[in-house]
Amino acid sequence: MHTSTAAFLTAISLFLVGCGGGGDTPELGTVSGTVTIDGKPAGDVLVTFAPASGGRQSTGETGDDGSYRLVYSTDEMGAMIGEHTVIIAPVVDFENESNDTMNPGSSVPKEYLDVTKTVTVEAGSNEIDLTYP
């Protein structure tokens, strides 16, 4: 089984925030898009949307074509409605012993690891492409 950073962070988020009960889920918008770095689709990238108002983050992992879809919880897709800070990071395979944990991957150049973007998620379907630089 392949364990990725996205799955790990989702599990930690669920543990820290709790699963909630009926009616506790805020209004969500579905979010998908493409990540490009230096003009090329970026695969194996973890995309994190952190709500400016606080609350649970949403995460997604890019495929080889750079496309992603955000997951809010184990049974909800999307992200909270409103403004978000977006960060990207390389996906880490914790089961692959050959990974260097100090430099987990090269899918995101170091100069983009500290770059944040601000985006707004609206009700319904959102197509949010992320371009670096």
Side-chain angles (χ1 to χ4, degrees):
M1 179 172 196
H2 180 77
T3 303
S4 68
T5 300
F8 176 73
L9 291 176
T10 299
I12 293 296
S13 294
L14 290 174
F15 175 75
L16 293 175
V17 177
C19 293
D24 287 345
T25 301
E27 186 177 1
L28 303 175
T30 59
V31 180
S32 61
T34 302
V35 177
T36 55
I37 297 176
D38 297 329
K40 298 177 184 174
D44 293 325
V45 172
L46 177 66
V47 180
T48 302
F49 278 46
S53 62
R56 182 179 294 170
Q57 298 179 358
S58 295
T59 60
E61 190 176 310
T62 63
D64 291 338
D65 63 353
S67 65
Y68 72 93
R69 289 184 55 188
L70 290 184
V71 176
Y72 178 74
S73 68
T74 56
D75 58 351
E76 298 283 344
M77 297 298 291
M80 291 173 51
I81 303 301
E83 191 173 286
H84 292 258
T85 299
V86 180
I87 59 170
I88 60 172
V91 172
V92 178
D93 179 1
F94 289 106
E95 292 182 359
N96 184 350
E97 292 181 20
S98 67
N99 269 344
D100 177 356
T101 58
M102 297 305 289
N103 184 15
S106 60
S107 60
V108 179
K110 289 181 183 182
E111 62 266 24
Y112 301 131
L113 291 175
D114 294 326
V115 173
T116 60
K117 294 184 179 277
T118 302
V119 300
T120 301
V121 174
E122 298 177 355
S125 179
N126 296 262
E127 181 80 20
I128 301 176
D129 293 333
L130 303 168
T131 303
Y132 298 84

